[in-house]
Amino acid sequence: MTIKKTIAVILTVFAFFVAGGTVIAAEVYNETPVIETALKQGSSGAEVKTMQRKLKNWGYYSGAVDGIFGSQTKKAVIYFQRKNGLVADGIVGTQTLKALGMSASSGGSGSTVSGVGNYTSSDVYLLARLIHSEARGETYTGQVAVGAVVLNRVKSASFPNTISGVIYQSNAFTAVSDGQINLAPDSTSIRAAKDAMNGWDPSYGSLYYYNPVKTTSKWILSRRTVITIGNHVFAV
């Protein structure tokens, strides 16, 4: 074999492996899954189904929980966004996912927080927002008690079985209705949320609380009082 032929063969073999490597690389790249960080009309799957179930439990959605993001689901999302001070575009992005208690990275429940039972970081932050918006200015014990009421509802068969479900249940909390739920919690509220999640319940199993000076509800006044902490009466 001449030198020219030898070089030609080597170049051909080299080109084959280079081409093969290129094809393999392309195949591996094309097989890499793309994870959506936003749900919108046309999306489908388990994340959409979870979202629909939450919206339905909270009174925002009346359609089928089928995992298909159609026009009716979009209307429910817009309704939820408007009620909670979010951009009402019908697209479930990072902020709306957080408000729903879902992870922005995968549509799931988020990562578990060390030292706070089996609750997620989204759970802690959402409960802290509720505490901050409903009980800032109250004693620390009073703030923990408000968080405990939410957790007591989660455990009760009469309420949704998730923190986000309880907090966003239609007309359940004034702070959600007036948008204060969207205020960023301070460090005290976050600490109070964690203490409640770790089992401290100054409300002694209460499912309700109210300010007797501000309430106009005869029904809430009829509930049996368990304890009064600061400006809040805690009841069952």
Side-chain angles (χ1 to χ4, degrees):
M1 183 180 290
T2 64
I3 293 176
K4 287 184 178 181
K5 286 184 177 181
T6 302
I7 293 173
V9 170
I10 292 172
L11 290 174
T12 301
V13 172
F14 178 76
F16 171 79
F17 280 108
V18 169
T22 302
V23 171
I24 293 172
E27 287 177 350
V28 171
Y29 178 80
N30 288 336
E31 289 177 357
T32 302
V34 177
I35 301 174
E36 291 187 343
T37 56
L39 301 173
K40 55 188 177 181
Q41 188 165 358
S43 298
S44 61
E47 292 84 0
V48 175
K49 197 169 186 177
T50 297
M51 177 190 69
Q52 288 174 326
R53 185 177 295 109
K54 286 173 177 284
L55 292 172
K56 191 160 190 172
N57 287 341
W58 305 338
Y60 294 96
Y61 178 63
S62 59
V65 179
D66 54 8
I68 300 172
F69 199 133
S71 58
Q72 193 172 357
T73 301
K74 182 178 180 179
K75 289 179 181 178
V77 169
I78 291 173
Y79 180 27
F80 174 80
Q81 290 170 327
R82 284 176 178 163
K83 290 286 287 183
N84 293 287
L86 301 166
V87 176
D89 56 5
I91 298 173
V92 185
T94 302
Q95 294 304 315
T96 303
L97 283 169
K98 283 183 179 180
L100 287 164
M102 298 171 67
S103 168
S105 62
S106 64
S109 58
S111 57
T112 301
V113 181
S114 176
V116 196
N118 293 319
Y119 296 105
T120 67
S121 55
S122 294
D123 289 332
V124 174
Y125 190 71
L126 180 56
L127 185 59
R129 280 167 48 197
L130 189 280
I131 292 170
H132 181 71
S133 58
E134 288 273 319
R136 64 184 182 277
E138 294 294 317
T139 65
Y140 184 70
T141 301
Q143 292 186 37
V144 176
V146 166
V149 166
V150 173
L151 299 180
N152 291 338
R153 290 189 182 187
V154 171
K155 297 172 186 175
S156 170
S158 300
F159 296 89
N161 61 0
T162 63
I163 289 174
S164 55
V166 166
I167 290 176
Y168 285 110
Q169 188 173 24
S170 185
N171 300 317
F173 295 98
T174 302
V176 174
S177 301
D178 64 18
Q180 290 191 62
I181 187 68
N182 298 301
L183 295 173
D186 56 19
S187 58
T188 301
S189 300
I190 292 173
R191 184 160 56 95
K194 290 181 178 180
D195 275 344
M197 288 171 161
N198 279 322
W200 184 16
D201 183 4
S203 80
Y204 298 100
S206 295
L207 295 172
Y208 309 96
Y209 63 87
Y210 61 92
N211 186 327
V213 175
K214 296 180 179 180
T215 189
T216 58
S217 170
K218 292 182 179 180
W219 180 85
I220 195 68
L221 291 172
S222 71
R223 309 307 298 180
R224 179 172 64 83
T225 297
V226 175
I227 190 171
T228 299
I229 306 173
N231 294 310
H232 284 145
V233 173
F234 293 83
V236 291

